[in-house]
Amino acid sequence: MSTILIIADHRDGQLSTATRKTVRCAADFDADAIDILVLAEDGAEVAAQAARLSGVRRVRYVNHPTHAHPMAATAAPQIVAAVKAGDYSHVLGSNSSFGKDVMPRVAALLGVAMVTDLMHVTGAYEFQRPTYAGNAVDTIVAPADRILVATARGASFEPAAEDGDAELEALSLDVELPTHTRFVSTDTHTSERPDLGTAPRVVTGGRGVGSEENFRVIYDFADHIGAAVGASRAAVDAGYVPNDMQVGQTGKIIAPELYICFGISGAIQHLAGIKDAGTIVAVNKDEDAPIFEIADYGLVGDLFEVIPALTRAIG
Ligand SMILES: Cc1cc2nc3c(=O)[nH]c(=O)nc-3n(C[C@H](O)[C@H](O)[C@H](O)COP(=O)(O)OP(=O)(O)OC[C@H]3O[C@@H](n4cnc5c(N)ncnc54)[C@H](O)[C@@H]3O)c2cc1C
């Protein structure tokens, strides 16, 4: 019997797509019940969004001032208290920054190991996950006599449908919170463009773009086709773009319907981030670049000539 608690990811009052995908992952467990826990300063609105997700039994929300700026150190003890109070067998989070931060603490406080990046669920305690930068797939069998803590790989699941009507419950937890960690400030890169993690179209640039100024051609082309913008690690390390735009093993793992990359060679660490992309289009001036081995469409050419031509052709 599996009773699953999903830890909601949300920002600015909006439930994240990553959580919708985690709910879809949970459905594959053939669970007896799927509940969602929302930790927020005032979680009623996010909880109402979560309650619409298909297959969810109950959404529990905890209002607490510490959640105005979510911190793993204070969230984890509250999650553990909710897990124990609800007698859950599984605790799932998404593989977002917050999920990757908080879920190991939850596992540690529960005294169990955790499984990261579930990409395929084959039983209540049997899963597949990528390893070696996505070049191999592990099958994991977890012990059924312990609470299972895991994160779901967003790129592997569709978002849950929104035709549900789960029960809402305000939860009050009596937990002593650690005082060794406090919120200081947030420094985020804001963008009007679609979100890189969830956009159906993504355009990226690599070291071949050459400079921060040159990256303008990548932004303009992305805006022309309504795409999110990403980059290789070499482009990030060279300072062309901020590091939250990095795609790959140590960046964002994405699964857009269309992925177009310019001046990216196709190192395995980059490919680890785009394995689940639908159609991959690569433009590179080196016909031997490894990216062409995995591209559905490849164009050998100088990106500074190809992009204006593509823009004109698209109209
Ligand atoms: C532990 C570890 C983790 C890593 N994680 C990541 C990660 O998450 N993401 C990631 O991307 N990398 C990651 N890397 C780095 C990775 O190994 C590569 O170094 C990096 O992906 C290379 O980036 P690039 O393709 O932009 O640069 P390069 O490999 O230098 O390729 C640039 C390409 O641009 C082409 N080019 C140049 N000028 C033009 C032009 N005018 N028009 C068209 N093409 C042009 C060249 O032919 C070349 O193929 C990681 C490495 C390690 C060791």
Side-chain angles (χ1 to χ4, degrees):
M1 176 170 151
S2 16
T3 317
I4 302 179
L5 183 67
I6 294 173
I7 313 308
D9 252 66
H10 57 92
R11 192 168 177 179
D12 299 332
Q14 294 302 310
L15 186 72
S16 86
T17 304
T19 296
R20 297 177 209 272
K21 292 180 173 191
T22 306
V23 170
R24 184 66 195 76
C25 168
D28 289 351
F29 282 77
D30 205 14
D32 299 288
I34 300 172
D35 291 352
I36 296 181
L37 180 67
V38 175
L39 303 174
E41 190 178 24
D42 179 359
E45 171 53 31
V46 175
Q49 294 165 37
R52 291 198 287 274
L53 298 182
S54 179
V56 175
R57 173 185 70 171
R58 183 180 300 137
V59 179
R60 305 185 134 151
Y61 61 100
V62 178
N63 292 339
H64 196 286
T66 55
H67 302 314
H69 304 288
M71 289 189 303
T74 46
Q78 297 183 58
I79 293 169
V80 168
V83 170
K84 289 181 176 167
D87 203 16
Y88 292 99
S89 60
H90 294 59
V91 192
L92 294 187
S94 58
N95 67 346
S96 63
S97 309
F98 180 64
K100 286 177 182 170
D101 196 14
V102 77
M103 297 307 278
R105 286 178 187 255
V106 171
L109 290 172
L110 288 170
V112 297
M114 73 172 284
V115 185
T116 57
D117 268 346
L118 302 184
M119 59 188 289
H120 187 50
V121 179
T122 47
Y125 293 91
E126 190 175 305
F127 324 95
Q128 289 183 329
R129 65 179 299 281
T131 188
Y132 297 120
N135 285 304
V137 175
D138 271 344
T139 298
I140 307 271
V141 180
D145 59 349
R146 289 176 216 168
I147 296 174
L148 185 107
V149 178
T151 54
R153 187 174 190 259
S156 302
F157 298 94
E158 293 296 319
E162 295 185 45
D163 56 3
D165 185 18
E167 190 186 313
L168 288 173
E169 183 193 356
L171 196 61
S172 153
L173 298 169
D174 186 15
V175 186
E176 196 175 326
L177 298 180
T179 52
H180 53 60
T181 305
R182 66 189 167 86
F183 172 79
V184 177
S185 66
T186 307
D187 185 5
T188 51
H189 164 238
T190 52
S191 166
E192 297 294 307
R193 296 189 174 84
D195 173 51
L196 177 58
T198 54
R201 296 174 187 175
V202 170
V203 172
T204 56
R207 200 196 314 260
V209 177
S211 69
E212 184 181 359
E213 297 71 44
N214 288 353
F215 232 84
R216 174 54 43 206
V217 296
I218 304 291
Y219 291 121
D220 289 348
F221 180 68
D223 291 345
H224 194 68
I225 63 167
V229 183
S232 70
R233 176 159 156 182
V236 169
D237 288 349
Y240 304 167
V241 293
N243 64 3
D244 61 351
M245 286 171 60
Q246 183 177 317
V247 171
Q249 182 187 341
T250 44
K252 294 202 163 87
I253 310 278
I254 59 174
E257 289 159 22
L258 176 64
Y259 179 79
I260 311 180
C261 60
F262 297 96
I264 287 183
S265 59
I268 55 162
Q269 295 90 352
H270 186 79
L271 303 185
I274 58 167
K275 277 206 158 33
D276 296 304
T279 301
I280 298 176
V281 180
V283 177
N284 194 303
K285 66 181 183 186
D286 174 8
E287 63 180 25
D288 294 323
I291 191 76
F292 290 131
E293 288 168 23
I294 60 112
D296 297 290
Y297 298 93
L299 186 56
V300 179
D302 186 321
L303 70 94
F304 298 104
E305 292 167 14
V306 171
I307 288 180
L310 269 180
T311 308
R312 280 196 300 278
I314 293 167

